[in-house]
């Protein structure tokens, strides 16, 4: 169980930071624990289920975020966590898709990036900067039952930020989508993640892929927890809190934020030939 050290008020934090600077890149969410979850780079594991007390407390959510009783007692409906990193490897369609991913990662097959066919070793030409692939994960991001592959890209110079490259299969054709680091942080085992537009807003989201490929509209970020500190209509500071597209209070939003932050992390693997061979083979 993680021990909560403090829970800063979102509004107070953002007013202070927005006054101090206008362009801050680091994560500005209120800190709830000194021991934040670390990204796993080993094997997939699931958290054991424990009974939670009623009524629901923040401690109970942190102790067991995937417990169905905890979820049902929360003030706004929240979906149970589904592990989207497990696949039926007896299914020939899944095996064929995994094998195609292996061919892509081994530079034997091309994929479509920005409407052009490229190989994985040509990625830096498309990005316009030197990046190296450091880790990868296999996960069903859109809930279709078919896996995507996400590659973590690290810059070779400090001038650039890290990015993620999502490989997605659509009717037998493979497409890539580049997402900046701040747009795809803290990926969880159920395919949800955190993204931030800066000190004035943050969101917890799912991603869906459209049925056509266009560089501007090829995927959609579907937010289910949102904080906004700016009213575009009045150009003034205004704090707004949303859960499942319903307006809510700061306290309730923080409860869901803690629930989300303490979901099991997605499992990442080092980008090695051995891991590629092992994880994409039957």
């Amino acid at each position: 169980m993680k021990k909560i050290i403090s829970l800063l008020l979102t509004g107070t934090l953002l007013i202070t930071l927005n006054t101090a600077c206008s362009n801050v890149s680091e994560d500005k969410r209120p800190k709830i624990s000194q021991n934040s979850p670390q990204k796993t780079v080993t094997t997939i594991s699931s958290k054991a289920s424990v009974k939670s007390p009623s009524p629901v407390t923040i401690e109970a959510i942190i102790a067991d975020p995937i417990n169905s009783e905890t979820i049902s007692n929360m003030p706004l409906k929240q979906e149970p966590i589904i592990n989207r990193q497990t696949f039926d490897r007896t299914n020939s369609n899944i095996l064929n898709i995994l094998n195609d991913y292996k061919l892509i990662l081994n530079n034997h097959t091309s994929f479509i990036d920005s409407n052009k066919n490229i190989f994985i070793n040509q990625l830096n030409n498309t990005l316009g900067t030197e990046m190296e692939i450091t880790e990868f994960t296999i996960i069903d991001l859109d809930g279709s039952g078919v896996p995507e592959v996400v590659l973590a890209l690290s810059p070779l110079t400090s001038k650039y930020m890290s990015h993620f490259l999502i490989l997605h299969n659509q009717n037998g054709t493979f497409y890539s989508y580049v997402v900046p680091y701040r747009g795809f942080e803290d990926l969880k085992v159920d395919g949800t993640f955190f993204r931030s537009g800066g000190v004035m807003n943050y969101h917890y989201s799912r991603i869906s892929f459209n049925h056509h490929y266009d560089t501007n509209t090829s995927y959609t970020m579907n937010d289910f927890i949102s904080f906004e500190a700016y009213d575009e209509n009045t150009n003034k500071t205004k704090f707004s809190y949303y859960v499942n597209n319903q307006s809510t209070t700061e306290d309730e939003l923080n409860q869901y934020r803690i629930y989300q932050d303490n979901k099991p992390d997605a499992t990442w693997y080092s980008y090695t030939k051995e891991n590629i061979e092992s994880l994409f083979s039957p």
Side-chain angles (χ1 to χ4, degrees), residues 152-168:
L153 309 177
S154 295
L156 297 180
T157 66
S158 58
K159 185 178 178 181
Y160 299 96
M161 293 180 63
S162 299
H163 285 69
F164 295 97
L165 181 82
I166 301 172
L167 293 171
H168 167 72

Side-chain angles (χ1 to χ4, degrees), residues 76 224-226 241-248 252-253 256:
L76 294 172
F224 59 94
I225 299 175
S226 295
Y241 313 93
Y242 300 95
V243 174
N244 297 335
N245 295 316
Q246 300 178 46
S247 180
T248 187
E252 284 191 352
L253 179 135
Y256 282 87

Side-chain angles (χ1 to χ4, degrees), residues 160-180:
Y160 299 96
M161 293 180 63
S162 299
H163 285 69
F164 295 97
L165 181 82
I166 301 172
L167 293 171
H168 167 72
N169 171 66
Q170 185 173 301
N171 300 324
T173 302
F174 290 83
Y175 299 91
S176 68
Y177 309 88
V178 177
V179 183

Side-chain angles (χ1 to χ4, degrees), residues 73-129:
N73 287 333
M74 293 178 78
L76 294 172
K77 179 177 170 61
Q78 187 68 296
E79 296 178 1
I81 297 173
I82 299 173
N83 186 342
R84 291 184 173 174
Q85 292 200 279
T86 58
F87 303 97
D88 180 6
R89 290 178 178 263
T90 64
N91 183 309
S92 59
N93 182 50
I94 298 294
L95 290 177
N96 289 336
I97 290 172
L98 290 174
N99 185 65
D100 287 338
Y101 280 130
K102 181 169 72 171
L103 293 174
I104 289 172
L105 297 182
N106 283 325
N107 207 49
H108 297 318
T109 299
S110 64
F111 57 93
I112 297 178
D113 181 90
S114 300
N115 293 316
K116 295 184 297 184
N117 277 291
I118 69 167
F119 286 85
I120 199 75
N121 67 349
Q122 298 172 315
L123 193 57
N124 284 332
N125 296 334
T126 300
L127 295 173
T129 183

